[in-house]
Structures are given as structure tokens and as C-alpha cells.
Amino acid sequence: MSYKILATDPLLRNYEQDIQLRMDCYLRKKRELLDGTENIVHFANGYEYFGFHRTREGWVYREWAPGAQGMYLTGDFNDWNMTSCPMQRLENGVFEVKLQGENALIPGQKIQAIVLNNGRMLRRVPLYATRVVQDPDTWVWCAELEETLLPYQWTDEKFKVPETPLIYECHIGMAQEKYGVGTYREFWENVLPRVKSLGYNTIQIMAIMEHPYYGSFGYQVSNFYAPSSRYGTSNELKELIDRAHNMGIAVLLDVVHSHAVKNTNEGLNEFDGTEYQFFHAGERGNHSAWGTKLFDYGKNEVLHFLLSNLKYWMEIYHFDGFRFDGVTSMLYYDHGLGTAFVNYDMYFSGNTDLDAVTYLQLANELIHQLKSDAITIAEDMSGMPGMCIPIADGGMGFDYRLSMGVPDLWIKLLKESRDEDWNMHQIWYELTSRRPEEKNIGYCESHDQALVGDKTIMFRLCDAQMYEHMNKFGGSLVVDRGVALHKMIRLLTAALAGEGYLNFMGNEFGHPEWIDFPREGNGWSYHYCRRQWSLVDNQGLRYRELNDFDKEMLRVLKEEQVLPLQAQSRWIHQEDKIIIFTKGKLVFAFNFHPQKSFEGYFLPVGQEGKYKVLLSSDDGVFGGHSRVEISHVYEAKQTQRGIGFPCYLPSRTAVVFKSF
């Protein structure tokens, strides 16, 4: 069978056998899991069977622990007696205990599982626990029984996921200005209105799945079915999502299925006393760079756990999709560490983990069966062919991949090059290069560029000048340059680098400084682990100008439906530092030159007619010098140079024109 991907990308024709192997593995595993009796949606029901559930007689608790010789349940309900509540061993390594009486377990009680393995009694947090807390006195992590009789009453039945995602990447805990951990309630009260006002239609929430170390940014997950208790209750998370939906905002979960925390007392690691219950045995089960554990995607029980996890977050919490973290690490046995993916051979070698490829295909199939308009995004820096091609066509089924090379481009230019040395052709190539028929999420920077030890784009542009010269009358040439380039970089990236766009919270207004979570090295301070919204709310500071430009930029992108369109024509002039391109009725003109403003610069637009300025980064309201005449009408005519019109293009300015 020949798959469509081979016609979509002719370079893959030499790898037809590899694509066929990819598909054979997927189809074989799917038959093995489903056995012809059910679809994948019905298969992913682990959370409905395992964990704690009310029954007519009381409660039932089930666990999968194949390496255990025995299991007990302990907690507040039996005064933490480790052996008074034994569990019965069923088939296939499943243990069960039934507790008689409606009040045999009471919401709010703390619970742990006790696992017997080779004479050891191991304290463990139940695998399917939906709330996990840390005891403030003993620092021990345990499950906390939730109230199950009062389900959340959703009001989002009419919500539809936006077709073009404009994503606001956010972290609940550090979303507040206070010195401390923010809450779900504070987020929906204080941050969601900002997101709505700016014009973003999607939020991507980090660090939701419970993690013992706050400073891991949520990327070392311990409890996959428990939303972090640091931020509030499960129902408060549901209300946050419900409120977002009622504002027309989709909600994505930053899901971490690429690895797990190595901790044994609170995580999956050695739950049943063996190292291979969920993870590869030996060194293959350890991530050398991250110090975490690696899933065995070839194991059916692991697939059941992970696929059920995706369904759980969608069904129980109404998440609209996922950004899959660490996909590159999943795809390759060497996790892509130090690898430059310079040719197609590197994607179809003995280094590719086909079990991981199969899991990602199954995950995408499940997600889109559950919700046809769900969004899945792959964080993959390797550029694996077919990542965002439908599974039936030989791909892996993601909707988008992150344009991870774009932030690297901007940081490299800002670190290593003078403005006058920037290569316009290189910038164009990096922003527009994609695999055929695969959609990208463009972004200049995410949380990665904001972490301690790195710098955001605005901080690289202005550095220490931000501390004293961000007032509107600061008179700093450094800040003037920074404000101008910050707007231009964002507009060019948003317009060219993807079919969707992403921004990390606060970066839209140039939030100063990096993110540093509380730790011993900084005296457990929250100073750098918060968002200083007061800066953008201060009308006398230039942060407000950047914020207002971001808002207007998103309005143009949405109202003119810019992102689905491909650039129809382009004009690049390296010496002048000019990039011009058209999309639909719009003409985008960028003058990156640090000194030269061009009077009567000819704009090739390709279509005769009248044009007006739709957006100018040099507008005074956005911190510019108002050198572009906003009300002027330009007339494009046939000339010896083609169809176009002359205009004034100031230095370090981006202008968007629209025909009418």
C-alpha cells in the first residue's frame, strides 16, 4: 500500500519501506489492544475501573501492581494501620479491596497504598489518585479523597474550538504578582480577562499534572491523574476551564508523557517494587540529561495508562487538546541529544523508537475521536517527517508542530550580530520553511527563553536599561531600539512562522527579568516567580505600549484571517534591510535598517487599487514616532517596476497596508 505522505513529500519516496514499517507497527498494535471488539475510545477507560469509586455498598479501590506479592490500603480511615485492610489479588496483577458502608471513606481523608515486594513494605501513592497533597509536617505525599457526590455543573456545551489557535502559554502558580503561588480562582479572576482583552483565543496551561518539585515547571510529573493541589481544588480547575470556554477561549494541557519523575514515594517509579512496571529496565529507563524515568511504550499496560490519561483530562476536565512535551526525546533512543538532523536518513535509522511513534499515533487517534476539533501540538525539534500528516496518510496525526527553530534564530541574531548585519534572506527562510502540508505554531519566545540563565527578547534588547528607562520620557536610545524591534519581531513571526501563534504570559509587554522558581540558591524567594502586571497597568511606562501593539496585532491577524494564508509574493532587499510580502488583501512591509528611512520606497503589491495603512508599529500609541501617515490613501498602479505604489518606510518600522 502506498501512503499519501509519499506524494506530499517526494523526498520520502526513498523511505517507503520505513513509512510502511511505521504503519504496520501502528496497525498491529491497534489490533493487539482492541482485539476487534472495541474502538480506542472504549479502550482508554482505565480511570473508570482503577482508583477509588463509590458503589452501592460503599467504596471499591483497585490497583495494577503485577510485581507485588500483596497490597494493603492505609490512611486516616484505619488510623494508618498498615495491615488491617488487605487487598485481594485478582487476575493480571490487579488488586482490589471493597469497603462496606457509605462512610467507610470520607472526602478529605488521606490515603496510601502499601505494596509488599520481596519482604519490603513500600508506601505508595495510588496510581490513579485524583488529588495528591503533601503533609505539611512530615512532607509525605499521599492521596486525598475527593468529594464525589457533587459533580461540577458545566455550562460550556455551546463552545467550539477556534480554527486558528492564538495561544497564551501560562503557568497558574506564577500568574499572580503576589509573592507566593497563584490559584485557579485568582487566574480566572485576574488573568483570563487580560487574555480575552488581548485577543488570544487559546490558553496552554503548564504544570497542571501533579509534580513534587515546583521548580521543575511541571515537567517532572509524579501523579498523572491529579491536577496540582498547590493551585486549588479539582472543581476550581473545572470552573477555570468552564469560564474560559464561556469567553470563547480554548484550553490546552501541556501534557508530559515523555518521561516521569524518578521519585518512588510519590511517583510511578517502582510502584510495585520493580523498576520495569512502567519504565524500561536498566539504563534505557533513565534519561541521562533530565534525571527522569522513561516509559516503555511497547508495553500494553503502559499504553492503557497513558491513553486513559488523555481521555481523563478531556472527559473529566474538558480540555480541548494537548501540547505534547518532549516529543523528540520520545522518538529517538538517544533522545535527540546533540544530534543535528541534517538528512532524512536520521529519521529512519536504528535510532528511532517505533514504539513511541505508535503511541503518538494512537494518542492522536484517540484525541480526535473524542473531540473532532481538538488541537494537538508536538514539541519536536528534530523535524520528524509526517508529524502533522493524518495517520491514514502515513503520518503521526498531530495538528501542529512548534516552530522551534524560530526562537533560536532571533536569540542568535540578538546575541551574535549587529542589526546592520542581519540577513533578511536567512530570516525569511527560517520563518517560512516547513514540511509540505504540515502546520506549525509560530513563536518568537516561549517559557524556555524566559528561564533563569536565559533572557527574553525584550531583556536581550534592553538589559539593565529596563530598570530605569522604561518610562515614556526615559530618553534611552537602547530602549527605543528595543521597543521598535520587539514589535517588528513579533509581527513578522506571527504573520509568517506558522498557521497558529504562541506567546508566553507577560512577554507580550516585555516582562523584565527571567523566571527563577523558589529554591535554596535564591533563599526560596518568589521575587522572580511571578508576573508584574502592575508594570503594564502603569500608563506612564512603555510596557503598556508593547501590550497595546500586541492587542492590535492579534486583532489584525484574526479579522483579516492572516495565518491560514500563504505568502503570495515577496520582495527582499538585503542592503536596505527590507522584507515585503503579500497575504490576501494585505501588504506587509518591514524596514529593519537601524538608520535608513526610505522616502518614496516602491512597494510591489501585485494588484492595482487603493490601499490604506491598517497597522504601523511606528504609531505613537505603540511607542513609535508617528512617522507613517495613517490616513493617507495609496494607489497601486502599473509601472516599469511592476504594480505597486511609493511610500515612506521609516527605519525599524513595520507597516501593514490593506486594499479596499
Side-chain angles (χ1 to χ4, degrees):
M1 179 178 180
S2 181
Y3 289 96
K4 186 179 177 181
I5 190 175
L6 301 174
T8 300
D9 186 352
L11 292 175
L12 286 173
R13 289 172 183 165
N14 292 332
Y15 303 91
E16 183 172 2
Q17 289 184 338
D18 297 279
I19 296 297
Q20 187 62 57
L21 178 60
R22 171 193 290 182
M23 297 306 298
D24 288 345
C25 291
Y26 156 74
L27 293 170
R28 182 169 57 250
K29 180 58 72 173
K30 188 175 174 181
R31 287 193 299 269
E32 185 180 318
L33 294 176
L34 306 186
D35 196 25
T37 59
E38 56 187 341
N39 63 33
I40 198 165
V41 171
H42 295 142
F43 170 77
N45 282 334
Y47 61 92
E48 295 182 352
Y49 179 76
F50 292 109
F52 292 88
H53 300 281
R54 280 192 182 272
T55 66
R56 291 181 179 179
E57 293 76 26
W59 291 83
V60 61
Y61 165 54
R62 299 186 188 94
E63 203 69 87
W64 175 64
Q69 281 85 53
M71 284 193 67
Y72 298 90
L73 182 63
T74 187
D76 292 337
F77 74 98
N78 69 350
D79 295 324
W80 294 97
N81 186 307
M82 294 178 66
T83 59
S84 69
C85 186
M87 299 180 67
Q88 180 184 1
R89 187 181 187 104
L90 307 180
E91 295 180 348
N92 302 317
V94 176
F95 288 82
E96 176 187 88
V97 61
K98 295 179 179 179
L99 301 173
Q100 301 296 318
E102 180 181 348
N103 296 320
L105 297 176
I106 300 174
Q109 287 182 328
K110 309 294 190 298
I111 298 167
Q112 281 187 333
I114 302 298
V115 175
L116 301 182
N117 179 280
N118 293 328
R120 299 174 297 166
M121 298 188 72
L122 308 173
R123 289 185 173 271
R124 296 290 186 257
V125 176
L127 294 174
Y128 287 80
T130 57
R131 181 171 173 82
V132 178
V133 297
Q134 187 178 31
D135 184 89
D137 298 320
T138 64
W139 286 31
V140 171
W141 289 78
C142 52
E144 184 175 80
L145 200 64
E146 289 191 290
E147 176 59 71
T148 59
L149 297 179
L150 298 173
Y152 181 79
Q153 299 299 309
W154 293 92
T155 63
D156 63 349
E157 60 276 358
K158 295 182 180 179
F159 173 72
K160 295 186 180 302
V161 176
E163 290 186 8
T164 300
L166 300 171
I167 303 171
Y168 200 76
E169 184 187 32
C170 49
H171 182 286
I172 301 297
M174 59 173 290
Q176 305 305 316
E177 189 153 358
K178 68 180 183 181
Y179 286 78
V181 179
T183 66
Y184 299 123
R185 179 177 293 274
E186 289 171 326
F187 188 90
W188 82 58
E189 289 177 346
N190 303 325
V191 182
L192 268 183
R194 294 180 184 273
V195 176
K196 176 67 175 178
S197 175
L198 281 167
Y200 291 92
N201 59 26
T202 305
I203 57 174
Q204 177 179 297
I205 312 182
M206 311 169 63
I208 288 296
M209 303 161 78
E210 190 61 87
H211 48 289
Y213 179 47
Y214 189 47
S216 76
F217 232 139
Y219 290 123
Q220 295 189 8
V221 174
S222 53
N223 313 101
F224 285 73
Y225 287 81
S228 180
S229 59
R230 292 179 178 88
Y231 316 134
T233 66
S234 298
N235 273 0
E236 286 171 333
L237 173 58
K238 292 173 185 175
E239 185 166 355
L240 187 162
I241 296 170
D242 200 25
R243 285 172 177 260
H245 285 167
N246 281 286
M247 290 181 176
I249 298 171
V251 187
L252 306 182
L253 175 65
D254 196 345
V255 71
V256 185
H257 282 184
S258 48
H259 60 136
V261 73
K262 66 181 179 182
N263 304 25
T264 56
N265 289 332
E266 57 264 40
L268 306 184
N269 192 22
E270 298 184 21
F271 179 86
D272 69 353
T274 69
E275 64 174 337
Y276 50 80
Q277 181 182 3
F278 285 96
F279 310 114
H280 291 289
E283 279 309 302
R284 189 181 170 192
N286 300 317
H287 197 294
S288 58
W290 297 344
T292 50
K293 301 298 293 183
L294 298 172
F295 287 105
D296 181 353
Y297 302 108
K299 201 169 186 177
N300 292 351
E301 294 85 355
V302 172
L303 295 180
H304 186 237
F305 181 84
L306 295 177
L307 292 172
S308 297
N309 190 231
L310 297 173
K311 182 179 177 181
Y312 168 80
W313 290 111
M314 293 183 73
E315 292 284 279
I316 304 302
Y317 288 91
H318 290 204
F319 277 99
D320 301 298
F322 304 91
R323 178 263 201 189
F324 279 74
D325 173 69
V327 168
T328 305
S329 176
M330 300 170 69
L331 292 176
Y332 308 100
Y333 294 128
D334 66 359
H335 315 303
L337 298 174
T339 302
F341 292 87
V342 295
N343 60 65
Y344 276 38
D345 289 343
M346 308 189 78
Y347 302 114
F348 303 107
S349 64
N351 186 35
T352 303
D353 187 344
L354 286 172
D355 288 336
V357 173
T358 295
Y359 166 64
L360 292 171
Q361 290 174 303
L362 292 170
N364 276 293
E365 179 178 351
L366 169 69
I367 293 164
H368 291 106
Q369 281 192 17
L370 284 167
K371 189 178 180 70
S372 60
D373 59 355
I375 298 172
T376 59
I377 304 170
E379 188 210 25
D380 171 38
M381 50 74 60
S382 75
M384 167 68 81
M387 183 70 69
C388 302
I389 295 292
I391 299 168
D393 295 338
M396 295 172 63
F398 281 94
D399 297 298
Y400 301 90
R401 69 164 83 239
L402 290 175
S403 293
M404 299 186 70
V406 174
D408 294 342
L409 163 73
W410 292 122
I411 297 302
K412 184 177 177 63
L413 287 175
L414 293 172
K415 283 177 64 175
E416 301 177 5
S417 302
R418 301 180 306 165
D419 299 7
E420 50 266 46
D421 295 331
W422 286 11
N423 187 317
M424 299 294 106
H425 294 281
Q426 178 197 14
I427 292 173
W428 178 270
Y429 175 81
E430 291 292 345
L431 294 182
T432 59
S433 295
R434 333 219 210 291
R435 298 216 175 277
E437 297 188 22
E438 298 201 40
K439 295 189 293 186
N440 282 26
I441 299 292
Y443 65 109
C444 335
E445 53 187 347
S446 66
H447 70 274
D448 287 326
Q449 287 71 41
L451 288 170
V452 63
D454 207 337
K455 291 182 179 180
T456 63
I457 285 177
M458 191 59 182
F459 210 57
R460 285 193 183 280
L461 287 165
C462 300
D463 223 332
Q465 294 272 334
M466 293 185 74
Y467 295 118
E468 298 179 357
H469 297 284
M470 282 299 285
N471 63 78
K472 290 187 177 180
F473 307 100
S476 166
L477 293 177
V478 171
V479 171
D480 283 347
R481 168 183 176 263
V483 169
L485 287 179
H486 191 271
K487 292 178 288 185
M488 294 184 72
I489 288 170
R490 284 181 136 59
L491 178 58
L492 186 62
T493 301
L496 282 181
E499 290 69 33
Y501 176 68
L502 177 143
N503 166 66
F504 178 66
M505 64 175 185
N507 285 358
E508 70 277 2
F509 65 83
H511 195 287
E513 302 172 333
W514 52 44
I515 299 164
D516 191 10
F517 283 84
R519 55 188 174 85
E520 187 175 1
N522 64 17
W524 302 103
S525 170
Y526 284 92
H527 180 76
Y528 297 107
C529 195
R530 58 199 182 101
R531 296 284 91 177
Q532 299 179 58
W533 304 110
S534 58
L535 296 175
V536 71
D537 292 339
N538 188 329
Q539 297 285 351
L541 297 180
R542 305 199 67 176
Y543 299 104
R544 184 60 177 232
E545 299 168 340
L546 297 177
N547 188 82
D548 290 345
F549 178 79
D550 199 75
K551 182 176 182 178
E552 187 64 11
M553 178 185 79
L554 292 179
R555 184 191 68 80
V556 170
L557 293 178
K558 287 196 295 186
E559 290 186 2
E560 303 301 327
Q561 299 181 337
V562 172
L563 298 193
L565 301 175
Q566 298 299 310
Q568 295 154 310
S569 63
R570 71 175 188 267
W571 169 261
I572 300 173
H573 196 288
Q574 173 59 23
E575 184 177 348
D576 292 344
K577 296 292 182 286
I578 298 288
I579 296 177
I580 300 169
F581 59 93
T582 61
K583 277 194 169 189
K585 294 183 177 182
L586 304 187
V587 183
F588 293 79
F590 293 79
N591 178 7
F592 277 99
H593 204 288
Q595 291 95 29
K596 288 185 180 180
S597 297
F598 299 97
E599 185 72 55
Y601 200 92
F602 183 78
L603 251 67
V605 299
Q607 184 175 349
E608 294 184 359
K610 294 181 179 180
Y611 290 77
K612 61 182 179 181
V613 174
L614 191 62
L615 175 65
S616 168
S617 68
D618 193 54
D619 196 314
V621 73
F622 306 136
H625 303 290
S626 297
R627 293 170 291 177
V628 176
E629 179 53 62
I630 300 296
S631 60
H632 184 74
V633 175
Y634 301 85
E635 189 167 356
K637 299 178 179 179
Q638 180 69 53
T639 72
Q640 291 181 340
R641 304 176 63 182
I643 299 175
F645 57 84
C647 68
Y648 180 54
L649 278 187
S651 60
R652 288 190 180 131
T653 295
V655 186
V656 183
F657 301 87
K658 181 181 179 180
S659 64
F660 65 99

